[in-house]
Amino acid sequence: MAVRHRLIHAAPPQVWGVLADASRYADWVVGTSDSRAVRGAWPELGSALEYTVKIGPWTVSGTTVVRSVDPLRALELEVDSGRLGTARVAIEVRPWGEESLVIVDEHPLRGIGGALHNAAFDALIQLRHRDMLRRLADVVEEDVVEEDARASAHEGV
């Protein structure tokens, strides 16, 4: 089971602001170089975004669909990586004092990923999640610093 968590030094609405922005998906999802909404208003139920992964000279596109959403709290996605198959990725955002505890739970569903799913595969997913949660924390916490700086500048005017 590939479940990982991280404490992010920001309130849940600030974390959700990044998760709810389809154009920022590539900022925190490891391996993704670009993302754009292709169906519905992200992250409404059934909405989808397309993402691009660049590996050297190769470019591969995939789709991520929102399968369940509880605004500010939880987002369940089905990530379709073409020939590699699909995976369920659940992201939960829990208030933790003034901060947020973010939990990511991923399980392969179909295709090669589902067929090859084992403890070693989960270990690789854990490494990816560690980096993904670090990137999410960096993006959210940088936004908080920028918001604070704008607020301070506005107060000084």
Side-chain angles (χ1 to χ4, degrees):
M1 194 153 106
V3 178
R4 189 146 195 110
H5 65 275
R6 180 170 180 133
L7 185 64
I8 295 181
H9 307 298
Q14 293 162 312
V15 174
W16 190 259
V18 172
L19 296 176
D21 185 345
S23 70
R24 300 198 73 187
Y25 186 83
D27 293 343
W28 57 273
V29 176
V30 175
T32 305
S33 62
D34 185 36
S35 60
R36 62 223 148 268
V38 293
R39 182 176 69 229
W42 184 267
E44 290 179 358
L45 186 64
S47 63
L49 61 79
E50 186 175 75
Y51 63 89
T52 304
V53 175
K54 291 182 182 177
I55 303 168
W58 297 284
T59 301
V60 179
S61 292
T63 307
T64 299
V65 178
V66 176
R67 296 295 185 203
S68 178
V69 61
D70 182 2
L72 299 175
R73 291 190 179 100
L75 184 61
E76 283 193 55
L77 308 171
E78 184 172 350
V79 180
D80 185 342
S81 298
R83 293 182 188 173
L84 295 176
T86 65
R88 169 196 170 266
V89 178
I91 303 166
E92 183 180 354
V93 181
R94 293 183 188 173
W96 201 261
E98 300 287 317
E99 300 173 319
S100 302
L101 181 63
V102 179
I103 303 161
V104 177
D105 178 358
E106 180 173 345
H107 298 279
L109 295 173
R110 300 180 190 94
I112 294 170
L116 298 178
H117 186 223
N118 58 35
F121 193 72
D122 277 348
L124 290 174
I125 293 172
Q126 286 279 356
L127 292 173
R128 182 172 167 268
H129 286 174
R130 181 178 62 194
D131 196 31
M132 183 174 73
L133 286 168
R134 180 195 53 79
R135 289 173 65 165
L136 178 62
D138 289 348
V139 169
V140 171
E141 291 167 6
E142 184 178 304
D143 283 358
V144 169
V145 168
E146 289 174 6
E147 286 174 21
D148 289 348
R150 281 192 300 272
S152 293
H154 188 274
E155 289 174 3
V157 174

